[in-house]
């Protein structure tokens, strides 16, 4: 049996009728931009995350970009970001002419830590943007404490982690602002690009983000500043609203599969493969990815072995951001962030989508154990 890395078809089939009816109504009304669905979704996501404001954006990247624009980020400013993450986290900083300052990670969780962040703070640090990678919160109490000592705002990159929890709070409740992505592979995925900027409680910041989303315009055709066209469209908002009721069940499905993997793969030694660690007190990892670490230079061979069995897997991420060609001018060198570089050489994400059957999970487990000469 082949097992894809991700199959969105069953999930989308479960909401197809509802969405088709909604789109029928949308066509009848022919109101596609910033209508009732975006407004409704913003209220629903704010309630879901337990925050005051959510603003529908065209992507997770734009959700991050607009948050940094609302902090008046400019050339010479620095933003602390992890080196081991998706490109957008640092790309948005550079796009505004500011400088991403990279930090290493805690090898137990793939996330950065309060200590690493604090050591990178300078007089030019304008924001700290930790990432909740793969579905698990970064060490937010320690990061927020370090930031608060210097009065620096924290923006959460929760693009992979809408619904993650820890320390009694949700993703989105720690930082002044947060970015969620609804890219199709995310736990709550649109039918294209979409995202949301969360503003935890600051009304002025909320008003600024809304204005920046529409070219700095308020009222119509009066432009106070140069913003962007970062709007989420009504079709995506309708799709996301149709799916939102099912999101908790999907998180639960992913967590159930993760528990299965953790149990069935626990016989592997650390030299063979290390399994994800749930490190957050009272935490909820929502397993956007279930990511193994494969030591001894065997990661690519394991991936090839799984591929030969028809089992999908993916490497998130093979190259750290401090080693990306576009950031060569920042002066980082290989070896500077050893834990991030080690992670990039070892990570392998395996299928964990909610609709997987026991037989599919068993196929993946058998493939992995077989590679290591077990069973
Ligand atoms: C950690 C992280 N940050 C930012 C983004 C950007 O989100 P989007 O693809 O919706 O622009 C992603 C999406 O893949 C992500 O995983």
């Amino acid at each position: 049996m082949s097992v894809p890395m991700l199959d969105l078809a069953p999930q989308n089939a479960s909401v197809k009728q509802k969405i088709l009816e909604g789109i029928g109504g949308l066509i009848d009304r022919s109101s596609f931009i910033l209508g009732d669905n975006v407004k409704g979704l913003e209220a629903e996501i704010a309630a879901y995350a337990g925050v005051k404001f959510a603003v529908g954006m065209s992507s997770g990247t734009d959700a991050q970009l607009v948050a940094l624009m609302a902090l008046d980020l400019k050339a010479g400013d620095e933003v602390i970001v992890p080196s081991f993450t998706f490109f957008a986290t640092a790309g948005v900083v550079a796009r505004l002419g500011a400088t991403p300052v990279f930090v290493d990670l805690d090898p137990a969780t793939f996330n950065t830590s309060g200590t690493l962040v604090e050591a990178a703070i300078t007089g030019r640090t304008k924001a700290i943007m930790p990432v909740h990678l793969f579905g698990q919160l970064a060490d937010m109490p320690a990061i927020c404490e370090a930031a608060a000592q210097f009065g620096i705002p924290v923006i959460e990159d929760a693009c992979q982690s809408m619904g993650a929890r820890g320390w009694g709070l949700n993703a989105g409740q720690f930082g002044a602002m947060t970015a969620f992505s609804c890219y199709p592979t995310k736990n709550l995925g649109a039918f294209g690009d979409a995202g949301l900027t969360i503003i935890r409680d600051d009304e002025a910041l909320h008003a600024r983000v809304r204005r920046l989303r529409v070219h700095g315009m308020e009222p119509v055709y009066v432009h106070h500043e140069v913003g962007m066209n970062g709007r989420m469209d009504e079709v995506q908002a309708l799709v996301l609203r149709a799916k939102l009721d099912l999101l908790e069940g999907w998180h639960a499905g992913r967590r159930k599969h993760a528990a299965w993997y953790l149990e069935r793969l626990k016989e592997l030694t650390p030299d063979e493969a290390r399994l994800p660690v749930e490190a957050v007190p009272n935490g909820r990892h929502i397993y956007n990815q279930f990511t193994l670490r494969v030591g001894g230079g065997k990661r690519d061979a394991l991936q090839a072995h799984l591929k030969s069995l028809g089992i999908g897997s993916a490497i998130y991420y093979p190259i750290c951001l401090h080693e990306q060609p576009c950031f060569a001018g920042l002066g980082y060198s290989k070896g500077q962030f050893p834990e991030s570089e080690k992670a990039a050489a070892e990570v392998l994400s395996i299928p964990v989508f909610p609709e997987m059957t026991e037989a599919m999970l068993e196929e993946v487990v058998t493939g992995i154990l077989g590679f290591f000469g077990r069973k």
Side-chain angles (χ1 to χ4, degrees):
M1 179 206 295
S2 71
V3 184
M5 180 60 194
L6 174 65
D7 181 4
L8 293 171
Q11 174 184 116
N12 288 333
S14 73
V15 286
K16 183 174 172 181
Q17 205 45 44
K18 192 170 172 189
I19 289 171
L20 283 176
E21 283 163 22
I23 288 179
L26 202 56
I27 293 170
D28 292 343
R29 291 195 303 283
S30 285
S31 164
F32 300 111
I33 298 294
L34 296 185
D36 292 346
N37 283 295
V38 171
K39 216 176 286 168
L41 179 72
E42 289 174 341
E44 287 157 15
I45 294 288
Y48 180 79
V51 297
K52 257 185 148 166
F53 307 110
V55 180
M57 297 295 300
S58 40
S59 67
T61 304
D62 285 343
Q64 290 178 289
L65 186 67
V66 80
L68 293 179
M69 289 168 83
L71 296 180
D72 294 311
L73 201 70
K74 58 183 186 322
D77 292 338
E78 295 177 352
V79 179
I80 298 173
V81 294
S83 180
F84 186 70
T85 177
F86 179 61
F87 177 77
T89 316
V92 290
V93 176
R95 260 184 70 186
L96 295 174
T99 306
V101 171
F102 296 115
V103 287
D104 210 352
L105 54 77
D106 172 352
T109 61
F110 300 110
N111 285 327
T112 194
S113 70
T115 314
L116 290 165
V117 163
E118 188 164 351
I121 292 174
T122 73
R124 290 184 298 279
T125 307
K126 196 72 190 272
I128 297 169
M129 191 149 57
V131 178
H132 308 316
L133 205 65
F134 302 146
Q136 175 162 241
L137 293 183
D139 187 358
M140 293 312 288
I143 291 169
C144 291
E145 196 186 314
Q149 278 179 48
F150 299 91
I152 299 167
V154 173
I155 299 178
E156 298 173 56
D157 179 342
C159 281
Q160 302 183 4
S161 297
M162 184 193 301
R165 293 193 198 122
W167 299 277
L169 295 175
N170 300 324
Q173 290 184 312
F174 295 91
M177 291 181 278
T178 296
F180 288 153
S181 167
C182 300
Y183 182 78
T185 61
K186 301 302 193 281
N187 289 26
L188 181 67
F191 283 1
D193 280 306
L196 294 111
T197 303
I198 299 301
I199 301 95
R200 192 184 51 209
D201 47 29
D202 185 322
E203 284 182 25
L205 214 44
H206 174 231
R208 184 90 190 277
V209 166
R210 284 195 175 274
R211 197 172 77 179
L212 283 163
R213 177 176 66 171
V214 286
H215 294 297
M217 181 172 80
E218 190 184 10
V220 70
Y221 303 130
V222 180
H223 299 269
H224 300 267
E225 58 185 329
V226 178
M228 64 202 287
N229 175 359
R231 303 177 298 239
M232 180 189 287
D233 68 65
E234 280 288 292
V235 175
Q236 301 307 339
L238 184 151
V239 168
L240 294 169
R241 293 184 84 188
K243 290 186 170 191
L244 188 56
D245 283 347
L246 302 169
L247 181 60
E248 284 297 303
W250 292 334
H251 290 328
R254 287 171 178 273
R255 287 187 51 74
K256 190 162 153 248
H257 299 340
W260 170 286
Y261 281 143
L262 291 172
E263 176 58 29
R264 296 280 285 109
L265 295 173
K266 70 180 182 203
E267 67 187 86
L268 294 174
T269 67
D271 285 345
E272 291 171 328
R274 277 163 289 153
L275 308 177
V277 176
E278 296 196 13
V280 173
N282 306 318
R284 182 169 76 158
H285 191 323
I286 50 116
Y287 288 101
N288 180 244
Q289 300 298 336
F290 186 96
T291 303
L292 306 171
R293 295 187 68 137
V294 186
K298 291 197 178 138
R299 187 265 313 273
D300 294 350
L302 173 59
Q303 184 172 41
H305 173 74
L306 294 176
K307 190 174 178 201
S308 74
L309 299 171
I311 298 169
S313 64
I315 297 170
Y316 304 123
Y317 298 92
I319 306 173
C320 295
L321 298 189
H322 71 278
E323 296 184 272
Q324 292 293 346
C326 68
F327 293 137
L330 295 179
Y332 291 96
S333 51
K334 192 159 183 62
Q336 197 162 346
F337 300 114
E339 293 299 345
S340 301
E341 292 170 34
K342 203 158 169 239
E346 292 186 347
V347 284
L348 188 67
S349 298
I350 57 175
V352 72
F353 56 96
E355 297 77 15
M356 286 177 79
T357 61
E358 269 191 27
M360 291 165 94
L361 290 162
E362 197 52 45
E363 192 84 2
V364 179
V365 164
T366 306
I368 294 171
L369 292 178
F371 175 80
F372 290 109
R374 308 297 175 87
K375 304 256 160 61

